[in-house]
Every structure is written in structure tokens, then in C-alpha cells.
Amino acid sequence: MKNWRMHALAGLLLAGAAPAAFAATATVYYYTPYKGWSTANIHHNASGSWTSVPGIAMDAGCTDWKKKTIDFSTTNFQAVFNNGTGSAWDNPNGGGNYTVPAGVHQVKNGAIVANAGDPCAAAQEQTATVFYKPNTAWTTVNIHYAPNGGLWTTPPGVSMDVACTGWRKKTVSLGAATGLAVTFNNGTTWDNNSGRNYALGTGITTVVNGAVTSNAPSPCVVDATPPSTPANLVGAASGTSVKLDWEPSTDPESPPVSYVVTRTGGTSGTVTFTSAANTYTDTTGAANTVYNYSVTAKNAVGLPSPASNIVPVKTGELTVVSSTFTWDNATVYFLLNDRFANGDTSNDRSYCRESSQACVSFGNDLTQMPSGFHGGDLKGITAKLKANYFKDLGVNALWITAPYEQIHGFVFGGNGAKHYAYHGYYALDWTAIDKNMGSRADLQELVDTAHAQGIRVVMDIVLNHTGYENIKDMAEYGYGKLNSGWEATAYKPADVLADWQNDVGRYIDYTSGNWAGTYWTRDWIRMNAVAGMDPCEGTDGLKGCVGFLPDLKTEVTSNVGLPSILTVKWGREGRLATEQQKLDAWFAQTGKARTPANHLVKWLTDYVGEFGIDGFRVDTAKHVDMNVLKDLKTEAVKARQAWLAANPVKAALLKGETAFWMTGEVWGHGVGRSAYFDNGFDSIINFNFQGAAGNTSGLNATYTELATVNANNSTPYNVLSYISSHDKGLFDRNNLQTGLTSLLLAPGGVQLFYGDESARPLMGNWTGDHAWRGDMNWNTPNATLLAHAKKLGQFRNAHPAVGAGTHSKLADAPFTFARVKDSDKVVVAIGAGGRAAISVAGIFADGTVVRDAYTGALATVAAGKASVDVGSAGVVLLEATPGN
């Protein structure tokens, strides 16, 4: 976790070089509402030296925009902007200068969008056609709407036309807007999507029984034309799995198109499978069997296409699969719940996030807010589990971000954007599930679905700090003191805030004596410059406020009462007595003091005892007292044992190691053994691997160090290596194949960051934390990279020796090594090519039949070598075939 609420504006204007002949031109448009200016100057060094402060006045462009055309002689120049007098400045990222190349650019909201063109050019007129089917006998139907950023129609809105039986229709003009907020009524009764309004886009949309279908076919058109025939079906076997690909079908009248795959042959007869995309992997076939495949397309109204060509494919040998799980060989898939998959759009604006004071949706596109909630939730993760996404990757543990309730409002973030707690690190209530994530039933279904596939669930937790104080929660729960006019910020529809003081600080009275008795109270937290609260001791250490967040006093050993904010919250929710009874029973049972830390330990380990959570990843662990961390593990182990005993059927699904596991973030920690391993931790995140993963020439030294961690120590321990993370950035997207190879073949535990397997790009034009945490690229995966990751991941999961075994180098060129754990042994080569003779002496005896799990090829060992045709990635994964 690495987030900050305030960023100072401090730009350094550097002297340029001597002027030269002009050779290029740039036209710069500047968006004035970002800083609330009416005029704007550009201060630049295009001529080789900086203009005199405050620079040159920009010309009028159109509403909200100023412009200036500048000649220059180099490849680019530096610029900053001010309000015309130089008393207020706009520097990017809180400091520095904008870099301006030749072309027509827009500078908006703290970022330059290169070659974005003239924002004053007339935008294309957008329209939306809405089909609505009332679920009551309305004789009159009105549509009441507002284009995004525009005004609402006058109630009750505009009368809709009869389209066909049961359906009403209206096409409305949106101007330049690309969406609209909508409600429906019959003049007296309203359908407003349960108070949230419907958020619709351009094109044809249907709304029926609360369900919105975007880019839908007209429900009033009878489609008699089937989709086009799927063409050029091809198939390839890898072991008993068959990967099929074909050219997509089209159907302009009734999209979307789905597919039915038909398989004949073998002993199972005719079998069909369905796919939403023009690819499918059949994992249900038998070994050494010829199957015939064909594909038909089906449109939205069920019309089938003619069948494709028929492809015969022969499967290979049965893949070796291990049923033994060990945390020492864990492949932990780390995802941000909010950014992974949206399984329930109805909860996207829970607690009236991004809504008016009356809880009416702003109708904005949440996915365009880099530091806001985007809509991902627990149901979305479960849907991907059910689709076998993680199983196909060989993942055996999921690291989910904290699902418990976060602060409801936003704080001032980088670049002046609203910063919500989408990442789960700004806790409000550890005892409740955040509604943006779903419900307790949703979390239980996720855990149960994962366990049914042998996949463990690791929950991200925080016990170092609470979430930030924020205007919306202050108003909701009555803590602290707000100054008049706070509504202007708490319910501001724009994502951009001008600055901390004007948009946030001016409305919060930190001098009020109301804080200590209404917020988390002085017994629980420390905060800087807040009346009645103990100050932080810097931003590091055990008593520092990390990122200026309220620091929980986990060092306190005396009894404390419930924090005021939770007393108020639980009272309003009607569960104050229940929660107090739970606490009373736990403290009586354990005999522990009612310290802040022990409250947190109780609340967090409840997730283990109730849901069957298998492990914790502890955020900001270096800022928490060691004895608290050790106690957390002790109580989690007790809760785990109780869950195993109470749920024998569920527990039986977890083959192999079932112990509770704990890893943690200790910033900068490497591979060495530290005191954390004697205070509750089985693993610590390895910050050193990211920089080593791209250097294949140094892999043997890296692997050797990692393998000795859990193999040759009197007191074994482990680390969790990664190549990308939410706090340390994304691995080079142009070298991901190398990075994934290095990671998924590494000894010890490994953490795969969501989207590394599919080349998820940076989010938009943003930089830093939020850019690394974009939405999962479900629609634009790199198929070649994903196939590579699946082969490596499945091989790793099948062989505990990869992560938990001893490591020995067998050859330098190609780099070849062996891993051995008990009876499990593998040989891996990296950087091979063509027809390669891989050294296996001492691991596989002559005459042994081995299989390359990457290509499915078989080879018989002779003279200490196995000769195989190497796949395109240059990786060979040798394993013994059954019976060898």
C-alpha cells in the first residue's frame, strides 16, 4: 500500500539552451476549469530560453479552452501555465514541466494529451435509441433523461412511441455526450432503477425488468438472416487439451454472436461446448484419441449459421497432474477486486458514491476515474473461477484485496482527482463487507468455489491504520466538524478537484474539540494537527502516520472502549448490541485485554472462522508491533482449526497442506531471514526479484538463492517473489514473456499480478500507482502470452518440486536446471531452440520416456540427454510420463 492524500505543487523552471532557427510548430489548447481560471498564460522555453514570468497570454479558443501556437527549433520544448498574473501555477504531477512536441495538443486536468486535436472543433452529434418494456400495464410511458454533463428534461420527460407489442421506443439527441442518465414513468409512477437512475450509452439499448442491454438488437425486428459461417477452423493438441481457433462470424442485425463447438469421435460420442469468443480449449478428451471438431455460430435471437469446416485432432499423452498443494510452491494470483471483473453492476455506486446528495447517480463512466471505484466485485471473481480462468493458469491461491467496508467518501488524490478506497486500504468497518464488493454470501461463494478447485484464498488485511477522514463520512456519521458549504465538494460531479485547501481543507475544522470524542477517539488513533488527538511521529516507524493516514495505536496494552464512529454506525444499522455481544464473548473466551490491536485481531480472524479464508497478506507490516503480528497469526491458526473441524466436507476439498498461511509487506525486504519469520510470518514479499527477472543470464544465481530458503535451513522460511505489483509498477510490457518465464519457474512462492499473463496495459495517460491498477483487459488479451503463461503455470502447479524442491544447474547453454522434491523431479531449459538435446543426466535415467509439457512432445532419454523440438518460446519443461 502506497497512497498519499496531498501533493504539493512545486515546479522547477529550468534555463534552456541558446535560440536557433525555428523548424516546428505546436498549437497548445489549455483547459481552464481544471484550476478555475478565466485567463491563462503559457510560460515556455521554445526559443531556447524561458519567457519572462508570467509568460505569454493565451488566446480565446472556445468555452473552457485557451490556445496558443508556438514555433520552436528542437524536438520539443518545456512549458507550464498560470492564471495570467503568475500568482497560481499548473505544473504536471505536482512539479516539473509539461513536455510539448510538434502538433496540436490538449493540456487538461494535469496531463498533456499529445496530438489530441482541436477540442473546439464541432463534435459529432450523438444519439441514443432506447427500447423500454414496462413490467406494469402502463398506457403512457415517458422517458426523463439528461445527457452526461447536461440538463434533465422537464418532468415527466418525453413521451415514448409504441414500437411493437409491449415495447416503447425513443431516439434522443445527446449532442457531444456519449451517454445519458434515464428514468421512466407513466406520469405518476416512476421506474428509476431503485433510486440510482439508469446509465445508458449511445446506439440501441433495451431496458426491461431493470436489466440494461447495451448495443442490443431491436426487439421489434424479426431477424431471418443467420450469422456468417465460422471460417478456417484450426486445432492443436497439448497433451489431452485441444485448442481451437476460427475466424469470427458476423451478424449486423442481431449481435452478439456466440458459438457451439461440436466434437465427435472417441468413446463419449457427440459432445457440444459453448463459447462466447472465437476460440475454445477442450480439456475433457482422452489421451491418444482422434476427435473431429466443427463450429456453428448463433446470433442473439438464436439463428444458427452453417457449420464450419471439420478439423481432426489427435490428443497426446495424459498430462501429469499433482494433487499435492504446498505453500512453498504457491502461485498466488494477486488481483484488485474492483479492477478485475464486474459481476453485479447494481452495486457500482454503493453508499451513493459518485451520486448526488439525493443519491441520484451522476451517470458518469466510472471506469474513466483512475482513482475511483470501477465496479469490480466478488461476484465477478467468482464468475472467472467458474469459467476455470485461474485453474487454466495453474493458479493455486488467490490474493484478493480487502473486501471489508471502506470509507464511503473520497479524499484528495494525485493530480487533484477524487481518490476513493477502491483498493481496500482505507478501512471504515472491519466487521462488514463493503457493498461495492457485494455481500457476505458473495464472499462465501467465492471461497467455496475456489476451494472446490483446490485454490486457496488469501485476504489482504490492514491493522496499521484506518481510512482517511473525509467530508462525506463526516456528514454521515457526525464526527469532527464541517464548515458551511461542504456539500459543494462532497457531492461534486466532476472528478477533478482544484487543490486541497479550496476543495477539501476549507470545509474541515481541525481545530474543533469535537474530534476526540466522535471519531476513532484518542485511545485508538493518532493524527497530525487535529485538536485533541496525539500527533504522529513522522510518516514511518511504529508510531508514524504512513501516507498521513490515521495511525492505529497497536502498541497500547490497556483496555479501551469502542471507537465512537463504530458505536454510531452500528447503532444506526441495528447491530450495536450484537457486535458488542460478539466482542464480549471473544474477550471472555481468550482472556485478552480490550486493546485496539486485540479488537482488530478478533475482527480479522473472524473471516477465517466464518468463511474459511486460508491466509492473510498483511499490508504495511513493518509499521505494526511484532507481538501484535505474532498474536494475529496465533488467533488465525485457532480460527482455521475451528473452521476445518466445523466444515469437514469443505475441508476435504483442500488436498495437501491446509495450514493457515501469512505473508506480509515489509517495504524493501529481500530474501534473507528476518525477525518477522519468528513473529507469525510464513513468508515475506521479496522486493528484489522484480529487478532480476529480466536478466536471464543471472537467473541461476537468483534461483540458487531462492531455493536455499526453504530447503537447507535449520528453520525453513519462504519469500513471495513478483515481477509486477500495485505499488512497485508493471514489468516491461515488451519483455513479459521473459518475465513470466523467470517468475513461474522460480523457487519458493510467486505472486502473479493480474493481467501480467495477458499484457494488461497501463491505464490511460496516468502515471504511478493508479496507472498500474487499470481494469483487467478481458477484451484485448495477448493470446500468445496467455498461452505461454498457462503452460508454465500448469507445469508449476503439477510439480511441487518447481517451487519447493532443490535446485541444481545442469548446463549453461541452453540454461538447464533440475528441481527435485521427494519423488517429484523435473528438468527445465530456458533459451533453447530448434532441435535441442537437453541434459538430464542424474535426474532421468537412460531409457526413461519424458514429456515436454510445453509442446506435448515425447522423448526417450539416451546418453543422458532428451532430444526435443523446442517451442517458439525457447522453453522446455521435461517431466516423467506415467509409469516412468
Side-chain angles (χ1 to χ4, degrees):
M1 188 283 297
K2 179 165 67 70
N3 290 292
W4 304 85
R5 66 174 166 184
M6 293 187 286
H7 295 253
L9 179 64
L12 297 177
L13 309 181
L14 306 177
F22 295 123
T25 299
T27 299
V28 182
Y29 286 84
Y30 183 77
Y31 185 67
T32 55
Y34 174 50
K35 294 290 185 178
W37 297 341
S38 58
T39 61
N41 280 21
I42 181 171
H43 179 43
H44 64 83
N45 67 352
S47 65
S49 59
W50 285 90
T51 55
S52 299
V53 176
I56 301 169
M58 301 186 74
D59 305 321
C62 56
T63 302
D64 295 337
W65 292 92
K66 301 294 183 181
K67 68 177 182 178
K68 199 67 181 178
T69 299
I70 298 170
D71 296 322
F72 59 102
S73 58
T74 56
T75 56
N76 54 59
F77 62 91
Q78 304 292 300
V80 293
F81 302 86
N82 63 77
N83 61 350
T85 65
S87 60
W89 292 82
D90 174 9
N91 304 69
N93 298 321
N97 311 315
Y98 291 97
T99 299
V100 184
V104 180
H105 320 297
Q106 297 175 18
V107 177
K108 184 176 181 181
N109 301 340
I112 183 169
V113 185
N115 298 312
D118 181 0
C120 299
Q124 181 179 357
E125 181 77 12
Q126 302 287 338
T127 62
T129 299
V130 182
F131 285 88
Y132 178 68
K133 189 174 186 179
N135 57 10
T136 55
W138 287 358
T139 57
T140 298
V141 181
N142 300 315
I143 179 172
H144 180 43
Y145 67 92
N148 291 351
L151 300 176
W152 284 88
T153 54
T154 302
V158 181
S159 177
M160 300 187 75
D161 305 318
V162 175
C164 56
T165 302
W167 288 92
R168 299 297 180 109
K169 171 186 176 183
K170 197 66 181 180
T171 298
V172 299
S173 175
L174 304 179
T178 57
L180 69 164
V182 171
T183 64
F184 303 94
N185 66 85
N186 68 347
T188 56
T189 303
W190 290 76
D191 174 5
N192 59 6
N193 194 21
S194 301
R196 297 184 298 271
N197 301 334
Y198 293 98
L200 311 183
T202 57
I204 297 177
T205 304
T206 60
V207 182
V208 56
N209 294 328
V212 174
T213 304
S214 302
N215 300 314
S218 167
C220 297
V221 174
V222 177
D223 185 359
T225 304
S228 62
T229 303
N232 298 323
L233 173 65
V234 295
S238 176
T240 56
S241 294
V242 176
K243 175 74 162 34
L244 302 166
D245 295 280
W246 59 90
E247 294 181 7
S249 299
T250 58
D251 192 310
E253 291 182 311
S254 301
V257 171
S258 60
Y259 301 93
V260 176
V261 178
T262 300
R263 185 189 79 190
T264 60
T267 59
S268 55
T270 300
V271 181
T272 60
F273 314 95
T274 59
S275 176
N278 57 312
T279 184
Y280 184 78
T281 299
D282 176 15
T283 59
T284 64
N288 297 313
T289 304
V290 175
Y291 292 106
N292 294 305
Y293 293 90
S294 64
V295 178
T296 57
K298 185 171 63 175
N299 65 13
V301 296
L303 287 176
S305 73
S308 70
N309 56 301
I310 297 175
V311 171
V313 181
K314 183 178 180 180
T315 58
E317 294 290 337
L318 181 66
T319 303
V320 178
V321 177
S322 169
S323 61
T324 302
F325 171 83
T326 169
W327 285 109
D328 288 337
N329 187 49
T331 303
V332 183
Y333 190 95
F334 172 27
L335 58 86
L336 269 70
N337 308 348
D338 176 71
R339 301 300 168 84
F340 190 66
N342 193 342
D344 183 2
T345 57
S346 70
N347 64 12
D348 291 357
R349 298 173 193 264
S350 295
Y351 311 106
C352 301
R353 290 170 176 145
E354 282 306 285
S355 302
S356 71
Q357 194 167 2
C359 209
V360 176
S361 164
F362 291 149
N364 52 333
D365 185 349
L366 297 176
T367 64
Q368 298 306 304
M369 295 181 65
S371 48
F373 281 92
H374 285 193
D377 48 34
L378 300 173
K379 282 186 176 179
I381 301 169
T382 301
K384 297 304 179 182
L385 275 164
K386 292 179 177 179
N388 290 331
Y389 183 77
F390 305 106
K391 184 178 180 181
D392 289 347
L393 273 174
V395 166
N396 51 29
L398 285 184
W399 163 2
I400 63 172
T401 46
Y404 45 75
E405 190 171 352
Q406 304 292 301
I407 59 173
H408 296 173
F410 56 83
V411 295
F412 188 85
N415 287 343
K418 296 176 182 176
H419 184 175
Y420 284 95
Y422 68 90
H423 39 58
Y425 296 124
Y426 299 164
L428 170 64
D429 185 351
W430 279 264
T431 71
I433 302 296
D434 192 287
K435 293 179 182 178
N436 256 82
M437 296 297 100
S439 66
R440 303 185 85 82
D442 293 336
L443 179 58
Q444 189 65 72
E445 184 182 16
L446 186 157
V447 174
D448 290 347
T449 305
H451 284 175
Q453 297 181 11
I455 296 174
R456 274 61 172 170
V457 178
V458 178
M459 194 172 94
D460 212 335
I461 64 165
V462 180
L463 65 165
N464 169 68
H465 55 264
T466 69
Y468 291 117
E469 75 281 4
N470 64 92
I471 294 175
K472 188 175 184 300
D473 288 359
M474 291 175 68
E476 183 173 359
Y477 296 115
Y479 67 79
K481 182 183 178 184
L482 289 172
N483 296 325
S484 62
W486 59 268
E487 298 90 346
T489 285
Y491 299 102
K492 185 175 184 178
D495 184 33
V496 176
L497 308 174
D499 57 64
W500 160 261
Q501 183 53 42
N502 285 332
D503 273 332
V504 179
R506 63 188 283 193
Y507 299 116
I508 301 178
D509 183 358
Y510 288 106
T511 67
S512 169
N514 198 37
W515 284 92
T518 61
Y519 192 32
W520 279 90
T521 70
R522 186 175 185 175
D523 289 337
W524 276 78
I525 63 170
R526 53 177 60 87
M527 298 175 70
N528 278 327
V530 178
M533 307 295 270
D534 293 330
C536 312
E537 297 181 9
T539 58
D540 203 358
L542 298 179
K543 297 183 180 180
C545 288
V546 179
F548 305 106
L549 285 152
D551 181 62
L552 283 159
K553 293 183 175 180
T554 53
E555 79 283 0
V556 169
T557 58
S558 56
N559 291 334
V560 298
L562 277 176
S564 299
I565 187 172
L566 290 186
T567 301
V568 172
K569 182 178 185 293
W570 293 348
R572 292 183 182 178
E573 294 168 355
R575 58 189 183 99
L576 176 59
T578 300
E579 294 299 332
Q580 286 177 323
Q581 288 168 3
K582 291 179 182 177
L583 287 167
D584 290 344
W586 189 81
F587 282 115
Q589 174 198 349
T590 61
K592 294 181 179 294
R594 292 176 178 261
T595 64
N598 284 336
H599 281 83
L600 293 164
V601 167
K602 191 271 180 194
W603 293 332
L604 289 168
T605 56
D606 278 351
Y607 287 91
V608 181
E610 178 179 350
F611 299 100
I613 293 294
D614 304 280
F616 286 155
R617 179 267 183 185
V618 183
D619 181 68
T620 53
K622 68 178 291 185
H623 305 289
V624 180
D625 306 75
M626 288 276 194
N627 62 301
V628 173
L629 297 170
K630 187 173 185 178
D631 199 40
L632 172 70
K633 176 64 175 299
T634 299
E635 293 303 320
V637 168
K638 292 178 183 177
R640 174 67 165 182
Q641 292 170 342
W643 181 85
L644 290 169
N647 296 273
V649 175
K650 291 182 178 181
L653 299 173
L654 300 175
K655 305 298 183 182
E657 191 175 340
T658 59
F660 187 82
W661 182 77
M662 202 161 85
T663 190
E665 175 200 35
V666 178
W667 198 264
H669 199 290
V671 179
R673 197 177 193 285
S674 65
Y676 289 95
F677 296 101
D678 298 317
N679 287 277
F681 286 95
D682 305 282
S683 164
I684 293 291
I685 293 171
N686 174 20
F687 282 75
N688 293 344
F689 190 84
Q690 184 179 36
N695 178 22
T696 54
S697 63
L699 269 184
N700 188 59
T702 300
Y703 284 175
T704 299
E705 180 185 31
L706 285 171
T708 58
V709 165
N710 60 31
N712 300 318
N713 290 279
S714 58
T715 309
Y717 65 103
N718 213 318
V719 293
L720 189 66
S721 301
Y722 67 88
I723 60 171
S724 296
S725 84
H726 61 324
D727 282 343
K728 293 290 285 182
L730 301 183
F731 193 80
D732 181 2
R733 299 341 246 169
N734 296 315
N735 197 31
L736 268 172
Q737 182 170 283
T738 298
L740 287 170
T741 300
S742 299
L743 178 71
L744 293 174
L745 295 174
V750 297
Q751 171 236 293
L752 179 62
F753 194 42
Y754 75 108
D756 271 3
E757 74 277 15
S758 55
R760 175 175 60 86
L762 287 167
M763 179 168 59
N765 295 315
W766 286 74
T767 58
D769 297 6
H770 304 305
W772 306 330
R773 307 168 183 177
D775 294 316
M776 182 64 176
N777 57 326
W778 295 113
N779 296 324
T780 58
N782 182 317
T784 300
L785 188 68
L786 184 58
H788 178 67
K790 287 180 177 179
K791 291 177 180 180
L792 293 171
Q794 290 175 10
F795 179 74
R796 180 183 179 89
N797 191 38
H799 295 285
V802 175
T806 57
H807 170 85
S808 57
K809 186 177 73 170
L810 301 180
D812 288 313
F815 172 42
T816 306
F817 58 87
R819 300 274 170 77
V820 177
K821 180 175 176 59
D822 302 324
S823 62
D824 185 32
K825 50 189 176 181
V826 297
V827 172
V828 175
I830 299 175
R835 180 75 177 176
I838 307 301
S839 298
V840 298
I843 306 301
F844 297 122
D846 285 358
T848 302
V849 178
V850 295
R851 174 181 179 272
D852 177 9
Y854 200 94
T855 64
L858 300 177
T860 301
V861 178
K865 295 182 182 293
S867 296
V868 295
D869 292 321
V870 181
S872 59
V875 176
V876 178
L877 309 173
L878 296 178
E879 60 190 6
T881 56
N884 282 273

